[in-house]
Amino acid sequence: MRRHDREILALAVPAFGALVAEPLFRLADSAIVGHLGTPQLAGLGIAAAILTTGVNVFVFLAYATTAAVARRVGANELPAAIRQGMDGIWLALLLGLSVLAAGYPFAPALVDFFGASATAAPHAVTYLRISLFGIPAMLTVLAATGVLRGLQDTRTPLYVAVGGFTANAGLNVLLVYGAGLGIAGSAWGTVLTQWGMAAVYLTVVVRGARRHGASLRPDPSGIRTCAQAGAPLLVRTLSLRAVLLIGTSVAARLGDASVAAHQITLTLWALLAFALDAIAIAGQAIIGRYLGADDAAGARAACRRMVQWGVLSGVVLGVLVLLARPLILPLFTGDPAVHDALFPALLVVAVTQPVAGVVFVLDGVLMGAGDGPYLAGAMLAVLAVFAPVALAVPTLGGGLTALWWTIAGLMMTTRLATLCWRARSGRWLVTGAVRG
């Protein structure tokens, strides 16, 4: 157990800092924009949900790359590992430019789809259109991060994340208040930071590729292979994003105060999720390496230990949320209506953290094993259970608290059941440099 603990902590602790970069960006944006007014914060909430979807549906760029590179590392095939990572980066750039081109003209329609009020909609469109220019950078960051994680390096992403968060906060304050750009300044500050992070990652990965003799040129067959390997995880992630988008759509129909409180709750929930996912990221790298080295017993033992870490982490985070609730409320807004909606929603988030801890860990373990097809099917089943219940919340007279019981309670418990069944079956333990 001590050997596994050392492996997990060596990767998970630095990974935590890198994983929380995006929600910390949103937290900084929410704190700064929230003091411009409730319509601005509500607009940010709608735009942030759309943008997060635009990035996170392609999270397979990080997760699939981590697993594939780690397997090659375990099999002692380092040049092939880096070449596979470069294919993922090229795929990320192509996808990012496609999202930008498709999303920009449809920004007003996307905002209307979420039922934004007349006061919030203009702010949402402004933030969304500017922020779309950062999507190619963020997808590049995802793919490059996957390469480094697969190489068992989570320290470099930590350093980039710390620098990025610091730059983002400073630029947001400067552009929102110093330059008087309002919500547009917040969006531009984040976009500039995202491109700066991408430049740093590319510099690190390119140097590594040259050092090991890996080609930097785009390889159509390699890019196609990366896309095919990531397709099941794309289905899985789209299903998960559908859950969260349904939640935001329902919250928007409960009024500006509810959607503003939902935005703050969702941002904090994402921060907690990424904190728990730090163990899962360690799991992806460790499980992939063990399976690549034909050590199924080591992979199973590491899985058991990571689940224990997930439970403990969930309990600790839940207690911290309970204790911090009185401090969280005034940080983002002074609107009493938002406070009233936010306080009980945070309680739901707190009590469900132990379940979330196991869910995120097992999700990472199965990703590290390359078990994408199962994860895709399981998440579609979760969506089928969640959607009708969540959509019925306004009809049944429920408020934001009821909505969050469906998100953090029903949805996460259903995921727990599907992941535990798969983990116990042992069918994910497929060894070799490439999963057959």
Side-chain angles (χ1 to χ4, degrees):
M1 286 301 179
R2 289 182 179 178
R3 177 170 64 90
H4 290 307
D5 287 342
R6 287 195 299 269
E7 288 180 328
I8 293 167
L9 289 174
L11 292 172
V13 173
F16 170 76
L19 283 169
V20 300
E22 182 185 341
L24 282 177
F25 280 11
R26 300 304 175 202
L27 278 172
D29 290 355
S30 298
I32 294 168
V33 171
H35 292 286
L36 293 174
T38 298
Q40 286 89 338
L41 183 58
L44 172 63
I46 298 296
I50 299 170
L51 288 164
T52 302
T53 300
V55 173
N56 285 356
V57 294
F58 301 115
V59 74
F60 71 85
L61 292 166
Y63 293 163
T65 303
T66 299
V69 171
R71 275 184 179 265
R72 295 282 191 180
V73 170
N76 200 28
E77 299 178 3
L78 193 56
I82 297 177
R83 173 64 262 181
Q84 196 159 4
M86 288 302 305
D87 292 335
I89 290 174
W90 280 110
L91 177 61
L93 284 169
L94 292 173
L95 291 172
L97 293 173
S98 299
V99 171
L100 170 59
Y104 191 89
F106 293 103
L110 289 170
V111 170
D112 288 341
F113 174 78
F114 282 96
S117 68
T119 55
H123 302 294
V125 172
T126 296
Y127 191 93
L128 176 59
R129 277 188 160 162
I130 295 171
S131 296
L132 280 169
F133 287 97
I135 294 291
M138 287 308 296
L139 296 192
T140 299
V141 166
L142 283 176
T145 301
V147 176
L148 296 179
R149 290 173 182 165
L151 295 171
Q152 316 295 299
D153 175 13
T154 57
R155 290 185 179 275
T156 299
L158 169 62
Y159 301 147
V160 178
V162 171
F165 172 72
T166 303
N168 181 69
L171 285 171
N172 270 255
V173 172
L174 178 64
L175 295 177
V176 172
Y177 297 110
L181 296 180
I183 195 170
S186 177
W188 279 119
T190 301
V191 167
L192 291 172
T193 301
Q194 289 165 343
W195 277 106
M197 293 174 67
V200 174
Y201 273 115
L202 286 174
T203 299
V204 173
V205 174
V206 167
R207 285 178 179 172
R210 288 175 174 169
R211 185 166 57 251
H212 294 283
S215 175
L216 298 174
R217 295 180 180 180
D219 177 9
S221 63
I223 294 173
R224 186 166 52 252
T225 299
C226 287
Q228 292 171 347
L233 290 181
L234 176 60
V235 173
R236 169 259 181 202
T237 305
L238 283 172
S239 302
L240 178 58
R241 292 311 306 171
V243 166
L244 300 180
L245 290 174
I246 289 170
T248 299
S249 180
V250 171
R253 287 162 174 78
L254 298 175
D256 278 4
S258 289
V259 74
H262 177 75
Q263 160 61 15
I264 296 170
T265 306
L266 189 61
T267 303
L268 289 169
W269 191 69
L271 176 62
L272 296 169
F274 279 112
L276 293 171
D277 212 24
I279 304 172
I281 293 302
Q284 290 176 32
I286 292 170
I287 295 296
R289 193 185 76 237
Y290 274 124
L291 295 179
D294 295 324
D295 187 357
R300 186 183 288 277
C303 174
R304 286 196 299 268
R305 191 56 174 168
M306 282 182 282
V307 167
Q308 294 171 359
W309 275 97
V311 173
L312 177 61
S313 299
V315 171
V316 171
L317 290 174
V319 171
L320 289 176
V321 171
L322 287 175
L323 296 176
R325 279 191 306 166
L327 303 176
I328 292 172
L329 298 179
L331 178 62
F332 294 99
T333 179
D335 190 331
V338 177
H339 284 192
D340 291 342
L342 181 59
F343 196 80
L346 291 179
L347 175 62
V348 176
V349 170
V351 300
T352 55
Q353 284 307 293
V355 171
V358 179
V359 166
F360 282 102
V361 166
L362 289 180
D363 208 36
V365 166
L366 296 183
M367 285 183 191
D371 204 14
Y374 177 80
L375 291 173
M379 199 61 223
L380 284 171
V382 171
L383 176 60
V385 172
F386 167 83
V389 178
L391 292 172
V393 167
T395 303
L396 298 176
L400 188 66
T401 304
L403 175 62
W404 269 94
W405 273 119
T406 67
I407 296 172
L410 174 65
M411 186 267 287
M412 294 301 284
T413 301
T414 307
R415 289 185 71 190
L416 178 67
T418 61
L419 293 171
C420 283
W421 181 85
R422 185 64 169 183
R424 290 175 178 174
S425 74
R427 295 178 182 177
W428 54 278
L429 290 165
V430 179
T431 58
V434 179
R435 183 183 172 99

